[in-house]
Amino acid sequence: MTLLDILKLTRHYIKIVVVVVVASAMVGMGLGIVKAAFNNTEYTAESVLTVSDPTATVAAGELMPLTRAVADNVVAERSAEDVVISQRYDLASRTISFTVVSGDEAESIAAANSVAAQTAEQTAALLQEMADRYRSEITAEESVESGEFDGTVTFGLSERNRAALEMVSFTVNDALQAASSSDNSTAVKYGLVGFLGGLFLAICIMVIIDLAKAPLKGREDVERCFDVPVLAEGNARSLGDRLWANTQFAIGEIPHSVCLVPAAETVPQGIEESLSSAIAANGARDVLVVACLPLGKSMDAAYVARDTDATVVCAVPWRDSLRQVADTLRELELAQAKVAGIVLINLGK
């Protein structure tokens, strides 16, 4: 079965497809909601630490690695099995973002704010310690100059840079709420799976129906399966002219009698009147149009078809099956009827 065949089936059985797909998607979403209700909801909170130097003396490339190292230590100390903490480092904006995931909303918020504040405090303490050491070196240098100290200077920052370490500020943008990765995402995922599963199920149902019923879908099926032409196709009340003209072309003469034989049920309403009107409009006289019962209900159609000049098989796409059309043509062949062709009548169009 080709993709085109599946598209034809989908178009015809669109109601079945919609019902199955929608029902499957709703069932999937329902299962997702139920699953989420029994699982622990995770909450994610984020706190951002911004490091700034108002003196614009200490380069970010020197200041931020220190802050990041402190942050790594803090995160390693605070992480636990029920709390997952991670940090994201941005040198350009001089920020470190702390993300905390846990099963408790308040715990996530508190932990995110705590690690950010702790990182700021420890980094500030380290910078203050470095400033104090630089200040001690200055005192040592002065002692050397006066002959009171005989040591070695290990730090080479200028007095301005040393003072800048104490001016570095830390701003914590506290997390005020935590995002929940709960029911909605789970329900959407399960709903999508249900949608895809429903689409597959609908295709399977359509294919099974098609294999079981083997309906006549249209002109292509007639041309592929039978050695008779399609005389006309359309609404029963509007194809009389085309049916009358093609019937004459098919048998090579103007028939004095035409037999309409349905493939399965009775001749669709309107086709007999439409054909008779077309015959009268074209000036033909004394042409008899006989609508018969299907051969499956009565064999009268075989006798009438044998005695008429042209026989037209009436088939309704998607209602009549290929097997029914084939059986009708076989019976007419045995009756030695002059089968002009098949007319495909679309009901309700």
Side-chain angles (χ1 to χ4, degrees), residues 36-241:
F38 286 95
N39 288 343
N40 293 328
T41 303
E42 291 186 340
Y43 296 91
T44 303
E46 183 179 77
S47 181
V48 181
L49 171 63
T50 302
V51 183
S52 58
D53 173 20
T55 64
T57 302
V58 183
E62 299 176 355
L63 182 60
M64 292 304 298
L66 173 64
T67 309
R68 183 180 185 180
V70 174
D72 289 338
N73 291 333
V74 173
V75 168
E77 292 174 358
R78 294 295 303 272
S79 293
E81 291 184 359
D82 57 340
V83 178
V84 179
I85 306 176
S86 60
Q87 55 107 339
R88 186 175 66 256
Y89 172 77
D90 191 337
L91 178 63
S93 61
R94 295 193 178 206
T95 60
I96 297 179
S97 301
F98 298 91
T99 302
V100 177
V101 180
S102 75
D104 182 81
E105 182 177 10
E107 183 180 26
S108 297
I109 296 173
N113 296 337
S114 175
V115 292
Q118 189 174 349
T119 300
E121 291 174 1
Q122 292 186 13
T123 307
L126 284 176
L127 293 177
Q128 183 62 52
E129 181 181 348
M130 292 175 64
D132 292 341
R133 292 172 63 185
Y134 294 152
R135 189 175 294 108
S136 298
E137 289 177 13
I138 293 174
T139 304
E141 290 176 357
E142 293 175 349
S143 299
V144 170
E145 292 177 357
S146 61
E148 299 177 1
F149 180 77
D150 187 15
T152 304
V153 179
T154 58
F155 296 93
L157 288 178
S158 66
E159 187 173 352
R160 179 184 177 187
N161 288 349
R162 296 164 185 167
L165 294 176
E166 297 178 305
M167 301 297 292
V168 173
S169 62
F170 300 87
T171 303
V172 177
N173 185 10
D174 287 335
L176 301 179
Q177 60 184 5
S180 170
S181 60
S182 59
D183 314 347
N184 292 337
S185 60
T186 304
V188 169
K189 291 177 182 178
Y190 275 69
L192 180 59
V193 172
F195 174 83
L196 296 176
L199 186 59
F200 176 76
L201 178 61
I203 293 175
C204 292
I205 292 174
M206 291 187 300
V207 171
I208 293 173
I209 293 175
D210 184 65
L211 293 175
K213 295 181 63 176
L216 171 66
K217 303 180 183 67
R219 178 184 294 269
E220 295 82 1
D221 285 351
V222 175
E223 295 173 346
R224 185 182 71 253
C225 300
F226 309 114
D227 191 23
V228 292
V230 175
L231 301 175
E233 181 178 7
N235 185 281
R237 299 185 182 278
S238 63
L239 49 71
D241 289 335

